[in-house]
Every structure is written in structure tokens, then in C-alpha cells.
Amino acid sequence: MRRILVTGGAGFIGSHFVRRLLREHPEYEVTNIDKLTYAGSRDNLRDVEGDPRYRFVQGDICDRPLVEELVSQADAIVSLAAETHVDRSLLEADDFIRTDVHGTYVLLCAAREQGIERFVYVSTDEVYGAVPEGYSSSEMDPLRPRNPYAASKAAADMLCLAFFASYDLPVVVSRGANTMGPCQYPEKMIPLFVTNALRDEPLPLYGDGRQVRDWLFVEDHCEALDLLLHEGTPGEAYNIAADNYRHNIQVAEAILELLGKPRSLIRHVADRPGHDRRYSLDWSKIRALGWSPRQGFDEALAKTVAWYGDNEWWWQKARSGDYQDYYQRQYGWRLEAAARQEGEG
Ligand SMILES: NC(=O)c1ccc[n+]([C@@H]2O[C@H](COP(=O)([O-])OP(=O)(O)OC[C@H]3O[C@@H](n4cnc5c(N)ncnc54)[C@H](O)[C@@H]3O)[C@@H](O)[C@H]2O)c1
């Protein structure tokens, strides 16, 4: 294995993964196909643009001729390209079905035709749906996605495993927990809260803020994907997590504390419909392969917050243009209602 095709490498996790492949595997050549949606940016990989082992192709994973051409030049595929934001999927899910489901199918067909050596599909813990307190999802559990994003990922996840069962395509599926780190588009909770706090704007916290998530640092997530690319057993899924459980409100408080901002910036707003209360993964299977996370929650959050503090140009650019329309649509009425309630209370 020498030529790796990464999809979605201009996004958050993908850009860290591309950089890691180039750094850790000096013999590898990496091609990155990315459509450059609002969530992707070539800024995320400026530092490797000049590397002769790296090639960027702007393109859509649904574009069959392009995908066939790129797959014919690759030994392995790591697929991260997706529409990824739950809230956007609740507003309108067309692009999620197109990219996450059909795009993955196009990649699988090309991989099968070309006899690819390894296909890593980057799925998510959200495919299991909400899990009760005291329980952690194992890879054998049924998938019970509860929002359109999670459902589109679950469909692709199952398609991948079906291609192994039906055609022996050497697919490995990863199901990672919530991830934080530099270069995450500021619609997601942590960069949203960090950049709002840096601007002294309110932090819109859904519902009572007692939803539980397990937080993984992006470098740890990428190290696990690298391991699965090389050591994962075809036909198997692997959970990736860190046991860094926090309520969302604790995350908001920790961010404000790191930035020296007042707790009064937190605004409880109307919850996301169908908001999963808790995710938790049993990750003993990947631990047995020799991986465990290096970063605890506090260290990971401090690094993440510091990066946004040092890279205002990056997030100001991300927050311009369409972002403002999205933000208004998602949070405008919620923040107004919260302010009205506060006034009445
Ligand atoms: N961020 C998390 O917490 C998390 C956790 C577990 C799994 N995942 C999964 O990891 C992957 C990467 O997530 P992320 O947070 O980096 O996402 P992201 O939204 O930051 O990046 C997605 C990238 O995919 C690209 N893309 C979108 N549609 C495309 C298309 N049709 N063709 C080619 N490229 C396209 C975008 O331009 C962007 O660069 C996703 O598959 C996501 O489901 C994310």
C-alpha cells in the first residue's frame, strides 16, 4: 500500500488525517478529493500544499467518472467526505442523502471494480442513537440513528459492511466519538462556543445542557484511523472514544473559564428536535489493537481554545458570508425567545 486516496481531506478531521499520513508514512502519496463545500477549505492544508507527495483535487464523490479515475490510481481509500452537521440535516437533508449515502456508494463501486486493498469508512457514534445511562454501545449493537445526519451515516456504514459481505471488499468501518481540535467549522458546538465567547456573544446552549458526549481530540481520532487503515480486520467496525464524558453545559463552562469570560454568556435556548441525550461507546475492540487516546479532556480543550485564540483570521473567514444566514436561521429565534423569557422572569 503506497497511494492513499482521502476523501473530504479539506475538512476538519480530514485535514489532520492527510497531514498525519504525510508525516508518519514518508513513502505514501496522498490524493485528497474534496468538493470544498462551506465546511472545507484549502487553508486547512496550506502547510503541505507544496509537498510533492500530496495532490489536491477539487471534486465531488458523487462524480462517478472522476471517482473511478482517482480510485484507479490508488491502493487504499479513507473516506471522510460527508455533510456533517446534525442541525443542518434537520433543516434540509438532501445533500446528506446525496453525499453521505450515494457518494459513499459511488466510492464503493469504484473500489470494488479496481480491487482496492483497503477501504476505511469514517462513520460516527451517532449511528447507535441515544444510549441510556450506564450503557456503552458495542460494535455488534443494532444501529438506531435518530436524526437525518445520523441516518445517512448509518446507511453508508451498512452499505460498506454489505460490500464486504457481498463482494469481499476489504472495508473497515470506524465509529468515532465527538471530536474537537483546530480547524473545526464554527457551526459545531465547541468552535461555536469558543468563537462566540471570543466575540463576547451569547453561547446558545440547547435545552438544559445536560446532554452527555464523550470528547476525542482530533489527533487521537486520526491516530486511530491510521491504525485501522493498517491493522483493522476487513468486514469489522471499530468504536473510537476516549471516556472523556462531559455534559454540554460543563463544556460551555470550561470554555468560558479558559477564556476568562463570564458564565452569564450562557443562554439556554429551545432544544434541537430529537436531541440524543447521551452517547457512549465501548472501545475495547480498538484498545485491543493497541490504540488508546493520548489527550484528556482538559488538555484537548485547552489546545483547541488556544488555537482559535491564535487564529482569528481563520474563524472570522469561516463565519462570514453564508454562515451568518445559517446562524440567524438556527439561533436567531431561539436567542430572541430566550431573551424574552429572561425579560419576563
Ligand atoms: N467531527 C466529529 O465530531 C466526527 C465524529 C465522528 C465521525 N465524524 C465523521 O468524520 C468525517 C469528517 O468529519 P468532519 O467533522 O471533519 O467534517 P467536515 O464537515 O469538517 O468536513 C467534511 C469535508 O467533506 C467535504 N465534502 C462534503 N461533501 C462532499 C462531496 N460530495 N464530495 C467531496 N467532498 C465533500 C467538505 O468540503 C469538507 O471538507 C465525516 O464523515 C463525519 O461523519 C465526525
Side-chain angles (χ1 to χ4, degrees):
M1 185 189 318
R2 189 175 57 79
R3 302 166 306 167
I4 317 293
L5 177 63
V6 176
T7 79
F12 164 47
I13 302 173
S15 59
H16 290 272
F17 185 68
V18 166
R19 190 176 294 105
R20 181 188 167 88
L21 280 183
L22 292 168
R23 187 182 68 228
E24 299 293 325
H25 305 281
E27 70 285 15
Y28 283 7
E29 290 166 13
V30 180
T31 298
N32 170 16
I33 175 180
D34 196 297
K35 188 178 172 184
L36 297 182
T37 67
Y38 73 93
S41 170
R42 290 186 78 167
D43 287 341
N44 296 344
L45 282 170
R46 281 281 172 238
D47 53 324
V48 302
E49 287 265 351
D51 190 324
R53 295 183 295 122
Y54 172 66
R55 172 170 64 139
F56 177 74
V57 177
Q58 182 170 4
D60 189 332
I61 59 165
C62 300
D63 179 344
R64 194 177 283 264
L66 175 64
V67 165
E68 281 172 357
E69 185 193 328
L70 295 179
V71 171
S72 74
Q73 299 159 2
D75 303 316
I77 300 171
V78 181
S79 192
L80 299 104
E83 290 292 335
T84 59
H85 192 37
V86 174
D87 287 333
R88 288 189 194 250
S89 80
L90 288 160
L91 293 171
E92 167 76 72
D94 281 25
D95 286 345
F96 290 76
I97 308 305
R98 216 182 59 81
T99 288
D100 302 11
V101 185
H102 185 67
T104 304
Y105 171 70
V106 169
L107 281 163
L108 286 166
C109 291
R112 179 184 167 216
E113 227 156 76
Q114 299 296 333
I116 213 86
E117 284 174 37
R118 183 61 59 97
F119 188 119
V120 176
Y121 179 68
V122 181
S123 184
T124 164
D125 59 354
E126 301 210 14
V127 297
Y128 295 114
V131 298
E133 195 61 46
Y135 185 77
S136 296
S137 307
S138 95
E139 290 85 351
M140 298 305 286
D141 285 357
L143 307 189
R144 294 194 180 91
R146 286 165 27 90
N147 61 64
Y149 160 67
S152 72
K153 294 295 293 185
D157 178 320
M158 291 196 284
L159 262 178
C160 288
L161 295 174
F163 265 63
F164 170 77
S166 306
Y167 310 118
D168 253 344
L169 187 72
V171 169
V172 176
V173 171
S174 75
R175 297 182 185 144
N178 275 51
T179 303
M180 69 162 114
C183 297
Q184 186 171 30
Y185 192 77
E187 64 190 353
K188 305 282 167 48
M189 189 180 80
I190 287 184
L192 170 71
F193 286 180
V194 174
T195 56
N196 276 19
L198 285 166
R199 293 159 60 109
D200 295 308
E201 287 175 8
L203 276 49
L205 181 69
Y206 286 139
D208 63 2
R210 305 278 298 169
Q211 305 85 359
V212 178
R213 298 292 183 267
D214 180 3
W215 290 97
L216 190 58
F217 191 56
V218 66
E219 298 287 349
D220 285 329
H221 195 155
C222 290
E223 187 176 356
L225 296 178
D226 191 347
L227 180 69
L228 294 182
L229 173 63
H230 298 94
E231 308 286 339
T233 303
E236 297 284 320
Y238 294 84
N239 291 340
I240 308 172
D243 295 340
N244 286 328
Y245 297 104
R246 292 290 185 283
H247 289 126
N248 286 351
I249 193 165
Q250 294 175 305
V251 177
E253 288 166 347
I255 289 169
L256 292 171
E257 169 122 17
L258 280 167
L259 291 172
K261 302 284 182 179
R263 204 188 168 284
S264 57
L265 282 178
I266 296 176
R267 291 284 187 295
H268 289 272
V269 297
D271 209 347
R272 160 193 286 173
H275 201 167
D276 287 339
R277 198 68 177 162
R278 178 175 179 271
Y279 297 133
S280 174
L281 297 174
D282 172 348
W283 51 281
S284 47
K285 190 168 168 184
I286 192 165
R287 195 195 280 122
L289 275 188
W291 176 88
S292 58
R294 296 176 193 273
Q295 307 287 321
F297 179 85
D298 293 338
E299 208 179 346
L301 189 68
K303 282 187 183 177
T304 304
V305 170
W307 186 85
Y308 284 90
D310 292 341
N311 290 278
E312 189 173 335
W313 68 272
W314 186 95
W315 58 262
Q316 289 286 18
K317 196 168 162 186
R319 289 181 62 123
S320 63
D322 289 351
Y323 180 88
Q324 293 304 326
D325 296 338
Y326 162 74
Y327 190 86
Q328 269 314 313
R329 195 168 166 203
Q330 187 62 25
Y331 294 112
W333 66 271
R334 284 185 162 89
L335 286 165
E336 278 165 27
R340 260 198 316 278
Q341 246 178 8
E342 208 168 287
E344 286 161 10

